[in-house]
Short mmCIF file of all heavy atoms in Angstrom, two decimals:
data_model
loop_
_atom_site.label_atom_id
_atom_site.label_comp_id
_atom_site.label_asym_id
_atom_site.label_seq_id
_atom_site.Cartn_x
_atom_site.Cartn_y
_atom_site.Cartn_z
N MET A 1 -2.14 -20.27 6.94
CA MET A 1 -3.27 -19.65 6.28
C MET A 1 -3.64 -18.31 6.93
O MET A 1 -3.61 -18.17 8.11
CB MET A 1 -4.49 -20.60 6.28
CG MET A 1 -4.97 -21.00 4.92
SD MET A 1 -6.27 -22.22 4.99
CE MET A 1 -7.66 -21.14 5.23
N ARG A 2 -4.10 -17.39 6.17
CA ARG A 2 -4.54 -16.10 6.66
C ARG A 2 -5.83 -16.22 7.40
O ARG A 2 -6.71 -16.90 6.93
CB ARG A 2 -4.69 -15.20 5.41
CG ARG A 2 -4.32 -13.73 5.61
CD ARG A 2 -3.98 -13.13 4.25
NE ARG A 2 -4.80 -13.65 3.13
CZ ARG A 2 -5.95 -13.08 2.78
NH1 ARG A 2 -6.36 -12.04 3.38
NH2 ARG A 2 -6.62 -13.62 1.77
N PRO A 3 -5.98 -15.53 8.54
CA PRO A 3 -7.29 -15.59 9.22
C PRO A 3 -8.29 -14.85 8.32
O PRO A 3 -7.94 -13.94 7.59
CB PRO A 3 -7.04 -14.84 10.53
CG PRO A 3 -5.84 -14.00 10.31
CD PRO A 3 -5.02 -14.70 9.27
N PRO A 4 -9.59 -15.29 8.44
CA PRO A 4 -10.60 -14.59 7.59
C PRO A 4 -10.75 -13.13 8.04
O PRO A 4 -10.53 -12.80 9.21
CB PRO A 4 -11.88 -15.41 7.86
CG PRO A 4 -11.64 -16.16 9.08
CD PRO A 4 -10.13 -16.33 9.23
N MET A 5 -10.99 -12.31 7.05
CA MET A 5 -11.23 -10.87 7.32
C MET A 5 -12.53 -10.72 8.09
O MET A 5 -13.46 -11.49 7.94
CB MET A 5 -11.31 -10.19 5.94
CG MET A 5 -11.10 -8.72 5.98
SD MET A 5 -11.22 -8.09 4.26
CE MET A 5 -9.57 -8.27 3.72
N ASP A 6 -12.59 -9.71 8.91
CA ASP A 6 -13.80 -9.42 9.67
C ASP A 6 -14.81 -8.73 8.75
O ASP A 6 -14.82 -7.53 8.63
CB ASP A 6 -13.45 -8.50 10.86
CG ASP A 6 -14.68 -8.11 11.67
OD1 ASP A 6 -15.64 -8.91 11.69
OD2 ASP A 6 -14.65 -7.06 12.30
N LEU A 7 -15.61 -9.57 8.13
CA LEU A 7 -16.68 -9.05 7.26
C LEU A 7 -17.99 -9.15 7.99
O LEU A 7 -18.27 -10.16 8.61
CB LEU A 7 -16.68 -9.82 5.97
CG LEU A 7 -15.45 -9.75 5.06
CD1 LEU A 7 -15.58 -10.65 3.89
CD2 LEU A 7 -15.17 -8.34 4.64
N ARG A 8 -18.81 -8.14 7.89
CA ARG A 8 -20.09 -8.10 8.59
C ARG A 8 -21.23 -7.78 7.62
O ARG A 8 -21.03 -7.03 6.68
CB ARG A 8 -20.08 -7.03 9.65
CG ARG A 8 -18.95 -7.13 10.63
CD ARG A 8 -18.85 -5.90 11.50
NE ARG A 8 -17.62 -5.88 12.25
CZ ARG A 8 -17.20 -4.75 12.84
NH1 ARG A 8 -17.85 -3.64 12.74
NH2 ARG A 8 -16.01 -4.75 13.49
N ILE A 9 -22.40 -8.33 7.92
CA ILE A 9 -23.59 -7.96 7.15
C ILE A 9 -23.83 -6.48 7.41
O ILE A 9 -23.81 -5.99 8.56
CB ILE A 9 -24.77 -8.84 7.63
CG1 ILE A 9 -24.55 -10.25 7.18
CG2 ILE A 9 -26.11 -8.25 7.07
CD1 ILE A 9 -25.49 -11.25 7.85
N GLY A 10 -24.01 -5.74 6.37
CA GLY A 10 -24.23 -4.30 6.48
C GLY A 10 -22.99 -3.51 6.13
O GLY A 10 -23.08 -2.29 5.97
N ASP A 11 -21.86 -4.17 6.01
CA ASP A 11 -20.65 -3.46 5.61
C ASP A 11 -20.83 -2.89 4.20
O ASP A 11 -21.40 -3.58 3.36
CB ASP A 11 -19.46 -4.40 5.53
CG ASP A 11 -18.79 -4.74 6.87
OD1 ASP A 11 -19.22 -4.08 7.85
OD2 ASP A 11 -17.93 -5.62 6.91
N VAL A 12 -20.33 -1.69 3.98
CA VAL A 12 -20.35 -1.07 2.62
C VAL A 12 -18.89 -0.96 2.23
O VAL A 12 -18.09 -0.34 2.94
CB VAL A 12 -21.09 0.27 2.60
CG1 VAL A 12 -20.98 0.88 1.19
CG2 VAL A 12 -22.49 0.08 3.00
N VAL A 13 -18.52 -1.58 1.13
CA VAL A 13 -17.12 -1.59 0.70
C VAL A 13 -16.95 -1.10 -0.73
O VAL A 13 -17.87 -1.21 -1.53
CB VAL A 13 -16.53 -3.04 0.80
CG1 VAL A 13 -16.57 -3.52 2.26
CG2 VAL A 13 -17.24 -4.02 -0.06
N ILE A 14 -15.77 -0.65 -1.02
CA ILE A 14 -15.34 -0.33 -2.40
C ILE A 14 -14.45 -1.46 -2.89
O ILE A 14 -13.51 -1.83 -2.14
CB ILE A 14 -14.61 1.00 -2.45
CG1 ILE A 14 -15.57 2.15 -2.07
CG2 ILE A 14 -14.05 1.25 -3.87
CD1 ILE A 14 -14.90 3.52 -2.05
N LEU A 15 -14.77 -2.03 -4.01
CA LEU A 15 -13.94 -3.08 -4.60
C LEU A 15 -13.07 -2.47 -5.67
O LEU A 15 -13.34 -1.49 -6.28
CB LEU A 15 -14.83 -4.20 -5.19
CG LEU A 15 -15.73 -4.92 -4.18
CD1 LEU A 15 -16.43 -6.08 -4.87
CD2 LEU A 15 -14.98 -5.39 -2.96
N ARG A 16 -11.91 -3.19 -5.86
CA ARG A 16 -10.91 -2.68 -6.83
C ARG A 16 -11.38 -2.76 -8.28
O ARG A 16 -11.03 -1.96 -9.11
CB ARG A 16 -9.59 -3.51 -6.73
CG ARG A 16 -8.93 -3.36 -5.37
CD ARG A 16 -7.73 -4.28 -5.28
NE ARG A 16 -7.36 -4.44 -3.89
CZ ARG A 16 -6.68 -3.48 -3.20
NH1 ARG A 16 -6.35 -2.36 -3.78
NH2 ARG A 16 -6.44 -3.67 -1.92
N LYS A 17 -12.13 -3.87 -8.54
CA LYS A 17 -12.54 -4.11 -9.91
C LYS A 17 -14.02 -3.67 -10.10
O LYS A 17 -14.89 -4.13 -9.33
CB LYS A 17 -12.42 -5.59 -10.21
CG LYS A 17 -12.53 -5.96 -11.68
CD LYS A 17 -12.13 -7.40 -11.89
CE LYS A 17 -12.17 -7.73 -13.41
NZ LYS A 17 -13.36 -8.47 -13.80
N PRO A 18 -14.30 -2.76 -10.95
CA PRO A 18 -15.69 -2.33 -11.14
C PRO A 18 -16.61 -3.39 -11.67
O PRO A 18 -16.17 -4.27 -12.45
CB PRO A 18 -15.62 -1.16 -12.10
CG PRO A 18 -14.26 -1.11 -12.67
CD PRO A 18 -13.37 -2.04 -11.88
N HIS A 19 -17.85 -3.37 -11.28
CA HIS A 19 -18.87 -4.25 -11.80
C HIS A 19 -19.12 -3.87 -13.25
O HIS A 19 -18.75 -2.73 -13.63
CB HIS A 19 -20.18 -3.97 -10.95
CG HIS A 19 -21.21 -5.01 -11.06
ND1 HIS A 19 -22.56 -4.72 -11.27
CD2 HIS A 19 -21.12 -6.36 -11.01
CE1 HIS A 19 -23.21 -5.86 -11.33
NE2 HIS A 19 -22.41 -6.86 -11.14
N PRO A 20 -19.65 -4.77 -14.10
CA PRO A 20 -19.93 -4.38 -15.49
C PRO A 20 -20.74 -3.07 -15.62
O PRO A 20 -20.66 -2.41 -16.61
CB PRO A 20 -20.66 -5.58 -16.03
CG PRO A 20 -20.16 -6.76 -15.20
CD PRO A 20 -19.88 -6.18 -13.86
N CYS A 21 -21.52 -2.77 -14.55
CA CYS A 21 -22.37 -1.53 -14.64
C CYS A 21 -21.52 -0.33 -14.35
O CYS A 21 -22.01 0.84 -14.52
CB CYS A 21 -23.49 -1.63 -13.63
SG CYS A 21 -23.00 -1.38 -11.95
N GLY A 22 -20.26 -0.56 -13.87
CA GLY A 22 -19.38 0.60 -13.63
C GLY A 22 -19.29 0.92 -12.16
O GLY A 22 -18.47 1.73 -11.73
N GLY A 23 -20.15 0.27 -11.32
CA GLY A 23 -20.17 0.55 -9.89
C GLY A 23 -19.06 -0.14 -9.16
O GLY A 23 -18.60 -1.22 -9.54
N THR A 24 -18.57 0.48 -8.09
CA THR A 24 -17.52 -0.19 -7.29
C THR A 24 -17.95 -0.25 -5.81
O THR A 24 -17.16 -0.71 -4.97
CB THR A 24 -16.19 0.63 -7.33
OG1 THR A 24 -16.45 1.99 -7.02
CG2 THR A 24 -15.58 0.52 -8.78
N THR A 25 -19.16 0.18 -5.49
CA THR A 25 -19.59 0.20 -4.11
C THR A 25 -20.60 -0.91 -3.84
O THR A 25 -21.57 -1.07 -4.62
CB THR A 25 -20.19 1.54 -3.73
OG1 THR A 25 -19.33 2.59 -4.14
CG2 THR A 25 -20.46 1.71 -2.24
N TRP A 26 -20.37 -1.71 -2.82
CA TRP A 26 -21.17 -2.89 -2.52
C TRP A 26 -21.57 -2.94 -1.05
O TRP A 26 -20.83 -2.50 -0.21
CB TRP A 26 -20.35 -4.17 -2.83
CG TRP A 26 -19.95 -4.26 -4.28
CD1 TRP A 26 -18.96 -3.57 -4.94
CD2 TRP A 26 -20.57 -5.06 -5.27
NE1 TRP A 26 -18.88 -3.97 -6.24
CE2 TRP A 26 -19.88 -4.87 -6.51
CE3 TRP A 26 -21.60 -6.01 -5.24
CZ2 TRP A 26 -20.21 -5.52 -7.69
CZ3 TRP A 26 -21.98 -6.66 -6.43
CH2 TRP A 26 -21.24 -6.40 -7.65
N ARG A 27 -22.74 -3.52 -0.79
CA ARG A 27 -23.15 -3.74 0.58
C ARG A 27 -23.26 -5.24 0.83
O ARG A 27 -23.88 -5.97 0.03
CB ARG A 27 -24.53 -3.12 0.87
CG ARG A 27 -24.86 -3.15 2.36
CD ARG A 27 -26.21 -2.50 2.66
NE ARG A 27 -27.26 -3.20 1.96
CZ ARG A 27 -28.03 -2.64 1.03
NH1 ARG A 27 -27.88 -1.36 0.72
NH2 ARG A 27 -28.93 -3.32 0.43
N ILE A 28 -22.63 -5.71 1.88
CA ILE A 28 -22.58 -7.14 2.19
C ILE A 28 -23.89 -7.55 2.83
O ILE A 28 -24.42 -6.89 3.76
CB ILE A 28 -21.37 -7.46 3.13
CG1 ILE A 28 -20.07 -7.17 2.38
CG2 ILE A 28 -21.43 -8.87 3.64
CD1 ILE A 28 -18.80 -7.30 3.24
N GLU A 29 -24.49 -8.62 2.27
CA GLU A 29 -25.78 -9.10 2.74
C GLU A 29 -25.71 -10.46 3.37
O GLU A 29 -26.67 -10.87 4.02
CB GLU A 29 -26.74 -9.21 1.53
CG GLU A 29 -26.92 -7.94 0.74
CD GLU A 29 -28.06 -7.05 1.27
OE1 GLU A 29 -29.17 -7.62 1.36
OE2 GLU A 29 -27.80 -5.92 1.65
N ARG A 30 -24.63 -11.15 3.11
CA ARG A 30 -24.48 -12.47 3.63
C ARG A 30 -23.01 -12.81 3.84
O ARG A 30 -22.17 -12.48 2.97
CB ARG A 30 -25.07 -13.46 2.58
CG ARG A 30 -24.80 -14.93 2.88
CD ARG A 30 -25.17 -15.81 1.69
NE ARG A 30 -24.43 -17.06 1.77
CZ ARG A 30 -24.88 -18.25 1.40
NH1 ARG A 30 -26.05 -18.32 0.86
NH2 ARG A 30 -24.16 -19.27 1.58
N VAL A 31 -22.67 -13.40 4.92
CA VAL A 31 -21.26 -13.79 5.19
C VAL A 31 -21.20 -15.28 5.49
O VAL A 31 -22.08 -15.83 6.13
CB VAL A 31 -20.58 -12.95 6.31
CG1 VAL A 31 -20.42 -11.53 5.90
CG2 VAL A 31 -21.38 -13.05 7.62
N GLY A 32 -20.15 -15.91 5.11
CA GLY A 32 -19.92 -17.32 5.29
C GLY A 32 -18.83 -17.78 4.38
O GLY A 32 -17.94 -16.97 4.07
N ALA A 33 -18.86 -19.00 3.91
CA ALA A 33 -17.81 -19.50 2.95
C ALA A 33 -17.95 -18.66 1.66
O ALA A 33 -16.93 -18.38 0.96
CB ALA A 33 -18.03 -20.95 2.66
N ASP A 34 -19.15 -18.23 1.36
CA ASP A 34 -19.41 -17.31 0.28
C ASP A 34 -19.93 -15.99 0.80
O ASP A 34 -20.59 -15.96 1.80
CB ASP A 34 -20.45 -17.91 -0.72
CG ASP A 34 -19.96 -19.14 -1.43
OD1 ASP A 34 -18.76 -19.16 -1.83
OD2 ASP A 34 -20.80 -20.04 -1.66
N ILE A 35 -19.58 -14.93 0.08
CA ILE A 35 -20.02 -13.65 0.45
C ILE A 35 -21.10 -13.18 -0.50
O ILE A 35 -20.84 -13.17 -1.74
CB ILE A 35 -18.86 -12.61 0.47
CG1 ILE A 35 -17.69 -13.05 1.40
CG2 ILE A 35 -19.35 -11.21 0.82
CD1 ILE A 35 -18.11 -13.18 2.87
N GLY A 36 -22.23 -12.77 0.02
CA GLY A 36 -23.27 -12.21 -0.83
C GLY A 36 -23.25 -10.72 -0.71
O GLY A 36 -23.18 -10.17 0.39
N ALA A 37 -23.26 -10.03 -1.84
CA ALA A 37 -23.17 -8.54 -1.82
C ALA A 37 -24.08 -8.00 -2.93
O ALA A 37 -24.25 -8.61 -4.00
CB ALA A 37 -21.73 -8.13 -1.97
N VAL A 38 -24.60 -6.80 -2.62
CA VAL A 38 -25.46 -6.10 -3.57
C VAL A 38 -24.63 -4.89 -4.12
O VAL A 38 -24.06 -4.10 -3.34
CB VAL A 38 -26.71 -5.56 -2.91
CG1 VAL A 38 -27.47 -4.61 -3.80
CG2 VAL A 38 -27.61 -6.74 -2.54
N CYS A 39 -24.62 -4.80 -5.43
CA CYS A 39 -23.96 -3.64 -6.09
C CYS A 39 -24.91 -2.43 -5.85
O CYS A 39 -26.09 -2.49 -6.23
CB CYS A 39 -23.81 -3.92 -7.56
SG CYS A 39 -23.28 -2.47 -8.50
N LEU A 40 -24.37 -1.38 -5.26
CA LEU A 40 -25.27 -0.25 -4.89
C LEU A 40 -25.56 0.63 -6.14
O LEU A 40 -26.36 1.55 -6.03
CB LEU A 40 -24.65 0.57 -3.80
CG LEU A 40 -24.55 -0.21 -2.43
CD1 LEU A 40 -23.99 0.69 -1.36
CD2 LEU A 40 -25.88 -0.75 -2.02
N THR A 41 -24.91 0.36 -7.22
CA THR A 41 -25.14 1.15 -8.45
C THR A 41 -26.31 0.55 -9.25
O THR A 41 -27.21 1.24 -9.66
CB THR A 41 -23.87 1.22 -9.31
OG1 THR A 41 -22.79 1.68 -8.50
CG2 THR A 41 -24.07 2.08 -10.51
N CYS A 42 -26.31 -0.82 -9.42
CA CYS A 42 -27.37 -1.47 -10.22
C CYS A 42 -28.27 -2.35 -9.40
O CYS A 42 -29.21 -2.98 -9.95
CB CYS A 42 -26.75 -2.19 -11.40
SG CYS A 42 -25.85 -3.64 -10.91
N GLN A 43 -28.01 -2.50 -8.06
CA GLN A 43 -28.83 -3.30 -7.18
C GLN A 43 -28.76 -4.82 -7.43
O GLN A 43 -29.54 -5.56 -6.92
CB GLN A 43 -30.31 -2.88 -7.16
CG GLN A 43 -30.49 -1.36 -6.97
CD GLN A 43 -29.92 -0.83 -5.68
OE1 GLN A 43 -30.01 -1.44 -4.66
NE2 GLN A 43 -29.23 0.28 -5.82
N ARG A 44 -27.81 -5.25 -8.26
CA ARG A 44 -27.70 -6.68 -8.52
C ARG A 44 -27.00 -7.38 -7.38
O ARG A 44 -26.11 -6.86 -6.76
CB ARG A 44 -26.90 -6.93 -9.83
CG ARG A 44 -27.13 -8.32 -10.38
CD ARG A 44 -26.86 -8.36 -11.88
NE ARG A 44 -27.70 -7.47 -12.58
CZ ARG A 44 -27.57 -7.15 -13.89
NH1 ARG A 44 -26.64 -7.73 -14.57
NH2 ARG A 44 -28.36 -6.35 -14.50
N TYR A 45 -27.48 -8.62 -7.13
CA TYR A 45 -26.89 -9.43 -5.96
C TYR A 45 -25.91 -10.46 -6.58
O TYR A 45 -26.25 -11.10 -7.56
CB TYR A 45 -28.04 -10.12 -5.28
CG TYR A 45 -27.63 -11.02 -4.14
CD1 TYR A 45 -27.45 -10.43 -2.83
CD2 TYR A 45 -27.47 -12.38 -4.29
CE1 TYR A 45 -27.05 -11.23 -1.76
CE2 TYR A 45 -27.16 -13.17 -3.19
CZ TYR A 45 -26.92 -12.60 -1.95
OH TYR A 45 -26.57 -13.41 -0.90
N VAL A 46 -24.76 -10.56 -5.98
CA VAL A 46 -23.82 -11.60 -6.39
C VAL A 46 -23.37 -12.44 -5.18
O VAL A 46 -23.40 -11.93 -4.06
CB VAL A 46 -22.55 -11.03 -7.06
CG1 VAL A 46 -22.91 -10.30 -8.34
CG2 VAL A 46 -21.78 -10.14 -6.16
N LEU A 47 -23.02 -13.65 -5.41
CA LEU A 47 -22.50 -14.54 -4.42
C LEU A 47 -21.11 -14.99 -4.87
O LEU A 47 -20.97 -15.60 -5.96
CB LEU A 47 -23.42 -15.71 -4.24
CG LEU A 47 -23.39 -16.56 -3.00
CD1 LEU A 47 -23.63 -15.74 -1.77
CD2 LEU A 47 -24.39 -17.67 -3.09
N VAL A 48 -20.06 -14.68 -4.11
CA VAL A 48 -18.67 -15.03 -4.54
C VAL A 48 -17.98 -15.68 -3.36
O VAL A 48 -18.27 -15.41 -2.20
CB VAL A 48 -17.88 -13.81 -5.06
CG1 VAL A 48 -18.51 -13.26 -6.28
CG2 VAL A 48 -17.80 -12.74 -3.98
N PRO A 49 -17.01 -16.59 -3.68
CA PRO A 49 -16.20 -17.17 -2.59
C PRO A 49 -15.53 -16.13 -1.74
O PRO A 49 -15.08 -15.09 -2.29
CB PRO A 49 -15.19 -18.04 -3.35
CG PRO A 49 -15.76 -18.26 -4.69
CD PRO A 49 -16.61 -17.04 -5.00
N ARG A 50 -15.49 -16.32 -0.42
CA ARG A 50 -14.93 -15.34 0.48
C ARG A 50 -13.52 -14.90 0.07
O ARG A 50 -13.22 -13.71 0.08
CB ARG A 50 -14.91 -15.98 1.91
CG ARG A 50 -14.15 -15.10 2.90
CD ARG A 50 -14.12 -15.74 4.24
NE ARG A 50 -15.32 -15.48 4.99
CZ ARG A 50 -15.42 -14.45 5.86
NH1 ARG A 50 -14.49 -13.54 5.95
NH2 ARG A 50 -16.55 -14.25 6.47
N SER A 51 -12.63 -15.85 -0.24
CA SER A 51 -11.24 -15.53 -0.55
C SER A 51 -11.19 -14.57 -1.75
O SER A 51 -10.36 -13.63 -1.84
CB SER A 51 -10.43 -16.77 -0.89
OG SER A 51 -10.98 -17.47 -1.94
N HIS A 52 -12.06 -14.80 -2.66
CA HIS A 52 -12.21 -14.03 -3.92
C HIS A 52 -12.63 -12.60 -3.58
O HIS A 52 -12.07 -11.65 -4.10
CB HIS A 52 -13.32 -14.69 -4.69
CG HIS A 52 -13.29 -14.56 -6.16
ND1 HIS A 52 -12.48 -15.28 -6.98
CD2 HIS A 52 -13.98 -13.67 -6.98
CE1 HIS A 52 -12.70 -14.94 -8.23
NE2 HIS A 52 -13.57 -13.90 -8.26
N PHE A 53 -13.59 -12.47 -2.65
CA PHE A 53 -14.12 -11.17 -2.30
C PHE A 53 -13.14 -10.39 -1.48
O PHE A 53 -12.91 -9.18 -1.74
CB PHE A 53 -15.41 -11.41 -1.46
CG PHE A 53 -16.24 -10.19 -1.30
CD1 PHE A 53 -17.15 -9.74 -2.28
CD2 PHE A 53 -16.10 -9.40 -0.12
CE1 PHE A 53 -17.90 -8.60 -2.10
CE2 PHE A 53 -16.89 -8.25 0.03
CZ PHE A 53 -17.77 -7.82 -0.97
N GLU A 54 -12.44 -11.06 -0.53
CA GLU A 54 -11.54 -10.33 0.37
C GLU A 54 -10.42 -9.62 -0.39
O GLU A 54 -10.09 -8.47 -0.05
CB GLU A 54 -10.88 -11.35 1.37
CG GLU A 54 -11.85 -11.79 2.47
CD GLU A 54 -11.17 -12.66 3.48
OE1 GLU A 54 -9.96 -12.97 3.31
OE2 GLU A 54 -11.84 -13.06 4.43
N ILE A 55 -9.84 -10.26 -1.35
CA ILE A 55 -8.70 -9.68 -2.03
C ILE A 55 -9.16 -8.48 -2.91
O ILE A 55 -8.30 -7.74 -3.37
CB ILE A 55 -7.87 -10.65 -2.86
CG1 ILE A 55 -8.70 -11.38 -3.90
CG2 ILE A 55 -7.17 -11.68 -1.93
CD1 ILE A 55 -7.90 -12.25 -4.85
N ARG A 56 -10.41 -8.38 -3.20
CA ARG A 56 -10.90 -7.32 -4.03
C ARG A 56 -11.32 -6.07 -3.25
O ARG A 56 -11.58 -5.02 -3.83
CB ARG A 56 -12.09 -7.81 -4.88
CG ARG A 56 -11.61 -8.61 -6.02
CD ARG A 56 -12.74 -9.32 -6.77
NE ARG A 56 -12.26 -9.89 -7.98
CZ ARG A 56 -11.41 -10.95 -8.06
NH1 ARG A 56 -10.98 -11.51 -6.93
NH2 ARG A 56 -11.01 -11.41 -9.18
N ILE A 57 -11.32 -6.20 -1.96
CA ILE A 57 -11.76 -5.02 -1.12
C ILE A 57 -10.65 -4.01 -1.11
O ILE A 57 -9.50 -4.22 -0.78
CB ILE A 57 -12.08 -5.41 0.33
CG1 ILE A 57 -13.31 -6.37 0.34
CG2 ILE A 57 -12.36 -4.18 1.18
CD1 ILE A 57 -13.68 -6.86 1.69
N LYS A 58 -11.03 -2.78 -1.43
CA LYS A 58 -10.10 -1.64 -1.46
C LYS A 58 -10.27 -0.82 -0.17
O LYS A 58 -9.30 -0.39 0.41
CB LYS A 58 -10.36 -0.77 -2.71
CG LYS A 58 -9.42 0.35 -2.91
CD LYS A 58 -9.77 1.01 -4.27
CE LYS A 58 -8.87 2.15 -4.55
NZ LYS A 58 -9.31 2.83 -5.82
N GLN A 59 -11.54 -0.66 0.23
CA GLN A 59 -11.79 0.25 1.33
C GLN A 59 -13.16 -0.05 1.93
O GLN A 59 -14.10 -0.40 1.23
CB GLN A 59 -11.76 1.66 0.79
CG GLN A 59 -11.82 2.75 1.81
CD GLN A 59 -12.04 4.12 1.20
OE1 GLN A 59 -11.66 4.32 0.04
NE2 GLN A 59 -12.69 5.04 1.88
N PHE A 60 -13.28 0.10 3.24
CA PHE A 60 -14.57 0.04 3.92
C PHE A 60 -15.12 1.47 4.00
O PHE A 60 -14.43 2.34 4.51
CB PHE A 60 -14.41 -0.53 5.37
CG PHE A 60 -14.20 -2.05 5.40
CD1 PHE A 60 -12.92 -2.54 5.39
CD2 PHE A 60 -15.30 -2.89 5.40
CE1 PHE A 60 -12.70 -3.93 5.41
CE2 PHE A 60 -15.09 -4.26 5.44
CZ PHE A 60 -13.78 -4.78 5.43
N LEU A 61 -16.34 1.65 3.63
CA LEU A 61 -17.03 2.92 3.72
C LEU A 61 -17.87 2.98 4.99
O LEU A 61 -17.91 4.02 5.64
CB LEU A 61 -17.91 3.22 2.52
CG LEU A 61 -17.26 3.51 1.18
CD1 LEU A 61 -18.32 3.82 0.16
CD2 LEU A 61 -16.30 4.66 1.30
N GLU A 62 -18.51 1.88 5.31
CA GLU A 62 -19.33 1.76 6.49
C GLU A 62 -19.13 0.36 7.09
O GLU A 62 -18.99 -0.57 6.32
CB GLU A 62 -20.82 1.92 6.18
CG GLU A 62 -21.27 3.37 5.83
CD GLU A 62 -22.71 3.37 5.39
OE1 GLU A 62 -23.53 2.55 5.93
OE2 GLU A 62 -23.02 4.13 4.52
N ARG A 63 -19.23 0.28 8.41
CA ARG A 63 -19.15 -1.02 9.05
C ARG A 63 -20.53 -1.39 9.58
O ARG A 63 -21.20 -0.60 10.17
CB ARG A 63 -18.14 -1.05 10.20
CG ARG A 63 -16.69 -0.79 9.78
CD ARG A 63 -16.20 -1.67 8.65
NE ARG A 63 -16.47 -3.07 8.77
CZ ARG A 63 -15.62 -3.98 9.29
NH1 ARG A 63 -14.42 -3.66 9.63
NH2 ARG A 63 -15.96 -5.22 9.32
N GLY A 64 -20.92 -2.68 9.37
CA GLY A 64 -22.11 -3.22 9.93
C GLY A 64 -21.91 -3.44 11.38
O GLY A 64 -20.79 -3.44 11.91
N PRO A 65 -22.99 -3.75 12.13
CA PRO A 65 -22.88 -4.08 13.55
C PRO A 65 -22.14 -5.34 13.79
O PRO A 65 -22.22 -6.28 13.00
CB PRO A 65 -24.33 -4.11 14.01
CG PRO A 65 -25.13 -4.50 12.84
CD PRO A 65 -24.38 -3.83 11.65
N VAL A 66 -21.40 -5.40 14.95
CA VAL A 66 -20.75 -6.68 15.30
C VAL A 66 -21.79 -7.68 15.79
O VAL A 66 -22.66 -7.29 16.54
CB VAL A 66 -19.71 -6.38 16.45
CG1 VAL A 66 -19.09 -7.74 16.89
CG2 VAL A 66 -18.69 -5.43 16.04
N THR A 67 -21.78 -8.89 15.22
CA THR A 67 -22.75 -9.88 15.63
C THR A 67 -21.97 -11.06 16.26
O THR A 67 -20.89 -11.38 15.89
CB THR A 67 -23.52 -10.42 14.44
OG1 THR A 67 -22.60 -10.79 13.43
CG2 THR A 67 -24.49 -9.39 13.95
N GLU A 68 -22.61 -11.63 17.30
CA GLU A 68 -21.96 -12.83 17.94
C GLU A 68 -21.98 -14.01 16.99
O GLU A 68 -22.91 -14.15 16.22
CB GLU A 68 -22.77 -13.18 19.20
CG GLU A 68 -22.82 -12.06 20.24
CD GLU A 68 -21.45 -11.66 20.69
OE1 GLU A 68 -20.54 -12.52 20.86
OE2 GLU A 68 -21.19 -10.46 20.90
N PRO A 69 -20.91 -14.81 16.99
CA PRO A 69 -20.85 -15.95 16.10
C PRO A 69 -21.90 -16.99 16.45
O PRO A 69 -22.35 -17.03 17.57
CB PRO A 69 -19.45 -16.53 16.30
CG PRO A 69 -18.86 -15.89 17.49
CD PRO A 69 -19.66 -14.68 17.85
ZN1 LIG B 101 -23.60 -3.11 -10.71
#
């Protein structure tokens, strides 16, 4: 199995598939088995399974601070 990607609260990422609003930039608000992210175009919050989210990441724009587990 692939190790989980280093995702941090505060990360700003570009996803491959645009949101229905047309936005592709998201800020991560919650990390765990599910990833919570806010679309920076329409401010909507979504919760998606981590594996689902990881494969959609195209690029990191900003990295959040490293937090101890
Ligand atoms: Zn949106």
Side-chain angles (χ1 to χ4, degrees):
M1 240 176 84
R2 217 155 35 90
M5 198 180 273
D6 178 27
L7 297 175
R8 305 170 193 164
I9 292 167
D11 282 352
V12 178
V13 299
I14 294 178
L15 299 188
R16 296 175 197 285
K17 192 170 183 260
H19 197 226
C21 75
T24 53
T25 310
W26 298 77
R27 189 180 60 243
I28 296 174
E29 304 271 303
R30 169 191 158 146
V31 292
D34 293 323
I35 302 298
V38 169
C39 172
L40 295 183
T41 307
C42 69
Q43 310 302 317
R44 196 156 303 172
Y45 180 83
V46 298
L47 198 58
V48 295
R50 171 182 276 270
S51 58
H52 206 82
F53 193 84
E54 285 185 357
I55 57 173
R56 282 171 172 68
I57 296 176
K58 185 175 179 184
Q59 190 190 332
F60 285 92
L61 287 184
E62 287 174 35
R63 296 309 313 263
V66 178
T67 50
E68 299 302 321

